[in-house]
Structures are given as C-alpha cells and as structure tokens.
Amino acid sequence: KNFTVVNTPQQTDRLFYGKLNIDTHIKLSGDMESPAANAALRINKITDFTMMLPNSNPEVQEREGIVRFVDKDHPDTITAQTIYDSLNQSSIKGMDVTATIITDSSAKLTLVIDERNGDALTMQGQANLAGGIDKSGKVSLTGNYQLTHGSYQVSLSVLKRKFEIQPGSVITWTGDPALAIVDINAVYNAKTPPIDLVMQQLGGRSQEEITRYKQPLPFQVILKMQGELLKPVITFDITLPQDDLSQWPEVAARLQQMRTDNSELNKQVFAVLLLNRFVQENPFESSAGGTGIADIGRQSASRILSDQLNQLAGSLIKGVDINFDINSQKDYSTGVEQNKTDLNVTVSKKLLNDRLVINVGSNVGLEGSHNTSQNSSVIGNFSVDYKLSRDGKYRLRAYQKNNYQEIVEGQVIETGVSFILTLDYNYFSELFKSKKEVRKKLRQLKRQKAKKRNDVSQ
C-alpha cells in the first residue's frame, strides 16, 4: 500500500520530478528458468508527478551523429534518450510480466510539452490499461486514459493562459508505449465584444444596432491536441455557446467563415488570448471603445521600431555601440489625455583594452507636451566606468543623470561617483562562506574528479 516509486524535487534539467505513489498486488510464479509476474497496479491519489516530453531542438538535431556529449563526472546520468528507449525495450529479459494499471481520479499527472516556453498538460482521470514485458524484453501497453479534469497551460511571452480540459478527452495506447494517441479538447473562456470581428458585416446598420455588438459575449477559445503524444498537433478554434449562437447570427456566420482561413483564425485566437479583443484588418484600429488595442498596439510598434533602428545603426555606424529605444505611453499630466513618445539615444565606446567604458545618451521628445529645457542638452546623461581589476570585479563609475521632473516642472541633474563590486556565485549559500571555505570546497571537487578519472583508466 502507498509504495513510493518517485519522490524528488524539481530541478533544472531533471527529466521527471514530483511524487509517484502506487498500491500494488503482485503475484510471482514459475521457476528460476522461466519466472512470471502478474501485477495489479493502482496510481493513488497522493500522486503529483511531472515528466518532460522530448522537444525538437534544431541545434541538438544538427549535432546528432556528429558529436556525442558525455558528462564525465556523471557517466551514469539518465538521459532523455535512455528513458524513451526503455519504453520500447526493457532491460528485464527472460521473464513474463503482465500488469493491469488503473489510476485514482485525484492522481495528478503533468506532461511538460515545451520546457523553454512553459507549456504543460496537467491531467486527472481514470485509466484502464494492460501492460506487459515478454521474455525478449519488449514492452507493450494497451487501453485508454479518460480525462475528467486538468488543464493545458499556454505561455505567450509574459502572459500565461490556462485552457480547461473538457470531459471526453482521451489518451489511447494500442501496443507501443511511446506511440500513445491523444484526442484532447481544452477551453479558455474570454468575455469580449464581437464588434471588431463583424465590423465589415455591419455596413448600413444604424448606430443603435452597431452599439449592440459592443456588448461582451462569452466566447470560447478551443485548443485541440491530436496525434502522437510525443509529437502532438495543436490547433485552435473560436465559438460561442449554442444558445448565444442562435441570438447572434452575424457572429455565427463570421466565425464559420473564419474557419476556412487558418491564418485569419489564428490571428483572432492570439488577439483574444493576448489582448482580450478581436482585431480588424488593421490591428491598430478598434471600434470597441476604450484604449486597450490602441495602447498595446502602440507599444508593440515601439518595440518593433526600436529593434529596426538598432539593426540599422549596427550596420551603418562602426567603432561605437549605438542603441535606440522608443517609449510610447499615455500622458495625463495636463489633465487631458495625450500621447507621449520619447526617443532615447545612447552611444558607448570602449577604450584601454576595454577597461574604460564611456556611455553618452540623451532623451528626445518626439510627441506630446515637452518642456523646452528637457531637450536643450544634447548630452543629457553620461557615465564613465573604469575596471580597477582586469576581471572587472572592482569598478569605479562617475555619472550624470539629467531627468525632467513633472512635479517640480523643471530639470533635475544628478551627479555622483560610485564604487561597484561584482561577485559570481553558483549557489546563494556561497555568499555567506569565507574565501577559505570556498577554496577548500574547490579542492575537494578536484580530488573527486581526479579519483574518478583514475578509476575509469583502471
């Protein structure tokens, strides 16, 4: 009862972690020449287990077959390849093993689809599986895992959206444990007005009819995950509950039309997930009222423009590092809403074998109300960094900051000198250790590595 198979904390580069607990009933029979095992396994409710799925990293694929990377300090480290190879071929041979596997509906299993982005599938449900290992070591698994609860988390930059798994979703095994087939539907609910979605279909309507479409409706963004579990195909759809579709025929027709154009469908899906709004053909226009799309659109355009300016400067200007940064925002300091855009230009130059770094920059107002003195100084900010040690551990900085303060309606110039100490640590606890302790630890690690090398050579 309650046998702990796995109990390990989450760590970087760990292929699985969490707690995996099972209740077992195993019958052993046969003789030493031909042993057999018949097992009944139940994954119990204490289980909260996470496993990484292999991702198709192009850099790793390019190196495959050319260079084999081995950790000499940990030659027995379990890799993703060894785990997924063991799904097909077990190291147990010469023994007949049969097992039935069921899960408690409260047991939580998580599959990390994309570790870099944070996409993860969390599942709860009831499994009824039959598995086995024949005398040659071949592994088989058949049956269904019916999902009753769970979620699929999608990470979009800094935003995270959770899709709730719908009943009826299932994972099916037909023999090969590594070739499970998934058929999962998950829903993200978003209340948003359909005005931007159907604006072109409302030509000639009265203003009262158009205003009706500014009312938020309970749209459902549907995520469909199908195909092989290790290489799933993910698609999206948008719909309304059936009762609402009958009341909004123009919206229903537009959604049906949108499904024939995957590009348009995906654009609207990500607009709803990111902005909580639909978008028109011009994504920076909105008829829904408020400032949501316009403001976010301006910020996105600012980031794109900043990147383009930096790329242009890097290709045309040599000998110095130049950086452009555009900041666009709303300004209410005058009592009236205004758009305010500032351009920050910074030029950096390294001298004396990179030990002396000079940074010069200035803020230029491009849009909105700006105090005249704010742009009077071409060199608004500057700093001079000097590395007192060649490794840059000790630095001395002299600086001047030139900021316009709206509260005092004037320019505030701050000058000063600072001393900078930079330290690198692998673990936070090393901050509280003396240099003598750190050196002792390093010597111990070197001795351990040398001993392992001697053991391997022998």
Side-chain angles (χ1 to χ4, degrees):
K1 294 291 185 180
N2 200 27
F3 179 78
T4 300
V5 182
V6 177
N7 186 14
T8 182
Q10 180 179 0
Q11 289 184 6
T12 305
D13 297 330
R14 180 160 279 174
L15 298 173
F16 53 85
Y17 54 87
K19 181 175 286 189
L20 176 59
N21 278 39
I22 61 175
D23 299 329
T24 68
H25 184 272
I26 302 174
K27 179 181 179 181
L28 298 176
S29 60
D31 53 34
M32 296 302 293
E33 296 296 328
S34 182
N38 192 332
L41 309 177
R42 181 176 182 271
I43 301 175
N44 63 33
K45 61 183 180 181
I46 302 178
T47 294
D48 188 353
F49 181 70
T50 299
M51 187 171 184
M52 307 289 176
L53 289 185
N55 56 57
S56 54
N57 189 333
E59 296 180 1
V60 174
Q61 290 181 353
E62 289 175 2
R63 297 194 300 259
E64 187 174 351
I66 301 174
V67 179
R68 182 183 179 191
F69 293 87
V70 179
D71 188 348
K72 292 295 186 181
D73 295 331
H74 304 87
D76 298 327
T77 298
I78 298 176
T79 64
Q81 192 62 44
T82 58
I83 287 180
Y84 297 112
D85 286 346
S86 66
L87 292 178
N88 297 310
Q89 191 70 29
S90 172
S91 59
I92 300 175
K93 295 183 179 181
M95 184 175 182
D96 282 325
V97 179
T98 58
T100 59
I101 305 170
I102 62 176
T103 61
D104 189 287
S105 58
S106 299
K108 184 182 295 184
L109 303 174
T110 300
L111 295 175
V112 178
I113 306 297
D114 189 335
E115 185 180 9
R116 290 170 296 178
N117 293 334
D119 286 18
L121 175 66
T122 301
M123 304 172 292
Q124 291 177 269
Q126 296 178 342
N128 189 1
L129 306 173
I133 304 174
D134 63 19
K135 291 185 178 181
S136 67
K138 183 179 179 181
V139 182
S140 63
L141 186 66
T142 58
N144 295 329
Y145 183 20
Q146 299 284 347
L147 306 184
T148 56
H149 299 87
S151 63
Y152 188 104
Q153 179 170 284
V154 178
S155 299
L156 303 167
S157 185
V158 296
L159 299 178
K160 296 183 183 297
R161 297 290 182 258
K162 183 176 288 188
F163 290 76
E164 297 297 330
I165 291 179
Q166 300 301 292
S169 299
V170 63
I171 303 177
T172 304
W173 283 268
T174 58
D176 190 338
L179 294 180
I181 305 300
V182 297
D183 186 5
I184 297 174
N185 288 341
V187 171
Y188 173 77
N189 295 307
K191 295 202 68 172
T192 185
I195 180 67
D196 291 310
L197 182 67
V198 298
M199 192 61 192
Q200 291 185 341
Q201 283 74 32
L202 300 181
R205 302 287 184 94
S206 66
Q207 188 60 43
E208 183 178 351
E209 289 181 295
I210 294 176
T211 303
R212 178 172 175 261
Y213 286 88
K214 295 183 179 181
Q215 171 187 342
L217 298 180
F219 284 94
Q220 295 178 333
V221 180
I222 302 174
L223 182 149
K224 299 180 180 180
M225 186 176 180
Q226 296 175 321
E228 296 182 18
L229 177 62
L230 301 185
K231 296 183 293 185
V233 176
I234 296 176
T235 57
F236 293 94
D237 192 10
I238 302 179
T239 188
L240 280 172
Q242 196 61 41
D243 294 341
D244 293 293
L245 280 175
S246 59
Q247 299 179 26
W248 301 85
E250 290 84 358
V251 177
R254 179 70 179 102
L255 291 174
Q256 186 62 35
Q257 176 191 4
M258 195 169 61
R259 294 187 184 101
T260 63
D261 186 349
N262 285 332
S263 177
E264 176 67 16
L265 176 61
N266 289 334
K267 182 181 77 172
Q268 297 296 348
V269 164
F270 285 104
V272 172
L273 294 179
L274 286 170
L275 312 176
N276 199 36
R277 291 182 183 271
F278 293 100
V279 293
Q280 300 183 28
E281 288 189 8
N282 181 353
F284 302 123
E285 291 182 359
S286 173
S287 303
T291 59
I293 288 182
D295 290 346
I296 296 177
R298 285 171 57 83
Q299 294 170 14
S300 299
S302 297
R303 287 194 293 268
I304 293 172
L305 183 56
S306 298
D307 291 340
Q308 294 300 316
L309 285 172
N310 291 328
Q311 292 178 14
L312 179 63
S315 62
L316 297 180
I317 304 175
K318 306 296 182 182
V320 297
D321 295 327
I322 186 168
N323 182 71
F324 294 91
D325 182 34
I326 293 180
N327 181 29
S328 182
Q329 58 185 342
K330 293 293 185 181
D331 179 20
Y332 299 92
S333 60
T334 61
V336 179
E337 178 186 318
Q338 296 183 20
N339 292 326
K340 182 179 179 181
T341 304
D342 295 326
L343 171 64
N344 181 270
V345 184
T346 305
V347 178
S348 178
K349 178 67 175 179
K350 296 181 179 179
L351 303 169
L352 304 179
N353 293 327
D354 295 344
R355 295 192 68 171
L356 181 66
V357 181
I358 301 175
N359 297 290
V360 179
S362 181
N363 244 358
V364 180
L366 301 179
E367 181 184 15
S369 60
H370 296 271
N371 188 281
T372 55
S373 63
Q374 188 176 358
N375 301 321
S376 60
S377 175
V378 176
I379 304 178
N381 306 313
F382 77 86
S383 66
V384 179
D385 288 11
Y386 181 72
K387 297 180 181 178
L388 298 176
S389 58
R390 291 188 178 277
D391 59 1
K393 182 177 181 179
Y394 304 101
R395 300 187 186 191
L396 195 64
R397 171 178 295 175
Y399 65 91
Q400 173 183 295
K401 292 182 180 180
N402 194 357
N403 295 319
Y404 176 76
Q405 298 289 341
E406 294 177 348
I407 297 177
V408 299
E409 295 186 352
Q411 206 76 5
V412 176
I413 299 176
E414 177 187 345
T415 59
V417 177
S418 59
F419 174 75
I420 301 172
L421 172 62
T422 305
L423 299 175
D424 294 332
Y425 290 98
N426 292 324
Y427 301 99
F428 185 75
S429 60
E430 293 180 9
L431 282 170
F432 307 100
K433 293 181 180 179
S434 66
K435 185 180 292 185
K436 186 177 180 180
E437 290 178 312
V438 174
R439 288 177 177 174
K440 182 179 178 181
K441 183 67 174 178
L442 289 175
R443 285 195 297 269
Q444 291 176 349
L445 291 174
K446 288 180 180 179
R447 284 196 295 268
Q448 291 174 1
K449 291 180 180 180
K451 183 179 178 182
K452 288 182 179 179
R453 285 195 295 266
N454 293 332
D455 293 341
V456 172
S457 62
Q458 291 175 0

